[in-house]
Amino acid sequence: MSEKKEYATSIGGQAIIEGVMMRGPFKTAMAVRKPDGEIECAVNENGTKKRNRFLRLPIVRGCVNFIDSLIIGMKALMFSADFMDIEGDEEEEESKFDRWLEDKFGDKIKDIVIYFSIAVSLVLSIGMFILLPTLVTRGLEALFHSFSFAGTRTFTSIAEGVLRMVIFITYLALVAQMKDIKRVFEYHGAEHKTIACYEGGEGLTVENVKKYTRFHPRCGTSFLLVVMIISIIVFSLLPRTGVILRFVMRLALLPVVAGVSYEFIKLAGRSKNRCVAWLTKPGLWLQRLTTREPDASQIEVAIASMQAVIPENQEDAKW
């Protein structure tokens, strides 16, 4: 039993529309439950183990993995969405604009859509979680300027960080109420439980997977929370400047914050230290919003995706 607890894997995943994407050391798999009830699984090679030494350095690898995750995650979402639209596509006539895009860009159109979607998502995220808190705290500084005191810079950074977390948690709480998102969050729970079962050393069966928790320390939700906490510490060290320069400095330091956060999440995934376990608690609590208990059919999809990325030599799947 103790040996099972010590096992930790680098395999991670993401919930998609009626499915689960799993990413292993050599392969990425996307498994989707089609409308007819069958499971469709697509497997692709990835270059995680083939990166040069610089890209595998601590901090740097966190930035690279973050960008990689955005691209792979968006591709997985588009892959799963294709199956949900298949019936409507047969009946709906292709528009002139669609035909123009296809003639103009050909097979490249999907890549263009993916990168455009990522760009829009990043702009909206930066605006909501960095620019908005910066503007609000700058406004509060101006409003209460006469009450300035020693340590105002630190106080402002903390207030900005707290506001950022409030916006983030409120956003998650609202999104979690959407019917379609609830289904995605159930697959998110299936993903976590399947990985936990594999790490527990048990066979990947529905009954075995059901026994495990839907909360996992290496979850993307936990990563984002860690990003916000570390940003409070890093941003508090910056000098007081105008709002534009303040925003630019925070934007420039995002890769560093993401890299440090990745190292912490990686440590949390393999460490059994009580202090580390205590520090991961807030992220696990937050997963109560982003995961739900899956049913047997959803677990089957997660298992299919997981089995496709497990390397022949299981040692390669460990940290």
Side-chain angles (χ1 to χ4, degrees), residues 142-156:
L143 185 62
F144 299 103
H145 182 69
S146 58
F147 298 100
S148 61
F149 54 89
T152 300
R153 184 182 69 185
T154 302
F155 174 79
T156 301

Side-chain angles (χ1 to χ4, degrees), residues 3 12 41 52 61 79 84 94 117 126 135 137 143 148 213 223 252 268 306:
E3 289 183 0
C41 188
N52 64 52
R61 62 189 174 190
F79 171 81
M84 301 307 111
E94 191 177 33
S117 300
I126 289 169
L135 290 173
T137 51
L143 185 62
S148 61
T213 177
F223 171 77
M306 183 74 176

Side-chain angles (χ1 to χ4, degrees), residues 9-13 22-25 195 198-199 218 306 309-311 317:
T9 177
S10 62
I11 296 174
M22 290 286 188
R23 187 180 179 190
I195 292 174
Y198 176 70
E199 290 178 329
R218 288 191 291 110
M306 183 74 176
V309 302
I310 297 174

Side-chain angles (χ1 to χ4, degrees), residues 142 187 225 281:
Y187 277 103
L225 184 63
K281 289 290 186 184

Side-chain angles (χ1 to χ4, degrees), residues 190-264:
E191 173 225 325
H192 283 184
K193 291 166 81 76
T194 302
I195 292 174
C197 181
Y198 176 70
E199 290 178 329
E202 294 198 63
L204 293 178
T205 65
V206 172
E207 290 306 313
N208 284 342
V209 170
K210 279 182 178 180
K211 297 184 295 185
Y212 286 84
T213 177
R214 73 179 199 265
F215 309 122
H216 200 284
R218 288 191 291 110
C219 175
T221 306
S222 297
F223 171 77
L224 292 175
L225 184 63
V226 172
V227 164
M228 294 183 185
I229 293 172
I230 291 178
S231 69
I232 294 175
I233 299 170
V234 174
F235 295 166
S236 68
L237 303 175
L238 297 176
R240 292 188 67 184
T241 60
V243 66
I244 295 177
L245 186 55
R246 180 185 298 184
F247 171 69
V248 171
M249 287 192 296
R250 280 153 175 69
L251 201 57
L253 283 171
L254 263 185
V256 177
V257 172
V260 173
S261 302
Y262 173 82
E263 296 304 325
F264 175 80

Side-chain angles (χ1 to χ4, degrees), residues 159-175:
E160 183 180 324
V162 170
L163 178 59
R164 189 176 295 116
M165 283 193 283
V166 168
I167 293 173
F168 176 59
I169 294 171
T170 301
Y171 170 78
L172 287 180
L174 292 175
V175 167

Side-chain angles (χ1 to χ4, degrees), residues 31-233:
V32 175
R33 178 77 69 180
K34 297 193 296 184
D36 63 7
E38 291 185 9
I39 297 176
E40 179 79 16
C41 188
V43 184
N44 300 308
E45 300 288 330
N46 64 47
T48 305
K49 286 282 187 178
K50 299 178 182 178
R51 290 176 183 157
N52 64 52
R53 189 172 298 177
F54 174 75
L55 296 180
R56 287 186 277 116
L57 289 174
I59 309 299
V60 176
R61 62 189 174 190
C63 303
V64 174
N65 277 329
F66 177 68
I67 295 170
D68 245 8
S69 296
L70 287 176
I71 296 172
I72 292 173
M74 190 60 68
K75 287 181 177 179
L77 282 171
M78 290 188 68
F79 171 81
S80 61
D82 283 344
F83 291 99
M84 301 307 111
D85 293 334
I86 193 167
E87 294 179 358
D89 287 345
E90 292 175 353
E91 299 174 1
E92 189 178 343
E93 186 178 346
E94 191 177 33
S95 68
K96 290 182 179 179
F97 180 67
D98 290 335
R99 286 197 296 271
W100 179 84
L101 286 175
E102 192 172 334
D103 293 338
K104 187 75 174 176
F105 299 105
D107 294 337
K108 294 181 180 179
I109 186 62
K110 278 196 173 183
D111 288 335
I112 293 172
V113 171
I114 287 169
Y115 290 113
F116 177 74
S117 300
I118 290 172
V120 171
S121 299
L122 285 174
V123 169
L124 291 175
S125 298
I126 289 169
M128 184 181 297
F129 301 117
I130 297 181
L131 182 58
L132 180 59
T134 300
L135 290 173
V136 171
T137 51
R138 183 66 184 88
L140 291 175
E141 275 185 339
L143 185 62
F144 299 103
H145 182 69
S146 58
F147 298 100
S148 61
F149 54 89
T152 300
R153 184 182 69 185
T154 302
F155 174 79
T156 301
S157 296
I158 293 174
E160 183 180 324
V162 170
L163 178 59
R164 189 176 295 116
M165 283 193 283
V166 168
I167 293 173
F168 176 59
I169 294 171
T170 301
Y171 170 78
L172 287 180
L174 292 175
V175 167
Q177 303 308 311
M178 299 170 64
K179 183 180 178 180
D180 291 340
I181 297 299
K182 286 180 181 179
R183 288 285 298 173
V184 174
F185 286 174
E186 287 169 4
Y187 277 103
H188 192 189
E191 173 225 325
H192 283 184
K193 291 166 81 76
T194 302
I195 292 174
C197 181
Y198 176 70
E199 290 178 329
E202 294 198 63
L204 293 178
T205 65
V206 172
E207 290 306 313
N208 284 342
V209 170
K210 279 182 178 180
K211 297 184 295 185
Y212 286 84
T213 177
R214 73 179 199 265
F215 309 122
H216 200 284
R218 288 191 291 110
C219 175
T221 306
S222 297
F223 171 77
L224 292 175
L225 184 63
V226 172
V227 164
M228 294 183 185
I229 293 172
I230 291 178
S231 69
I232 294 175
I233 299 170

Side-chain angles (χ1 to χ4, degrees), residues 7-8 10 25-26 49 198 311-319:
Y7 187 81
S10 62
F26 303 109
K49 286 282 187 178
Y198 176 70
E312 292 182 8
N313 180 5
Q314 289 199 351
E315 291 298 314
D316 288 330
K318 293 185 178 180
W319 288 111

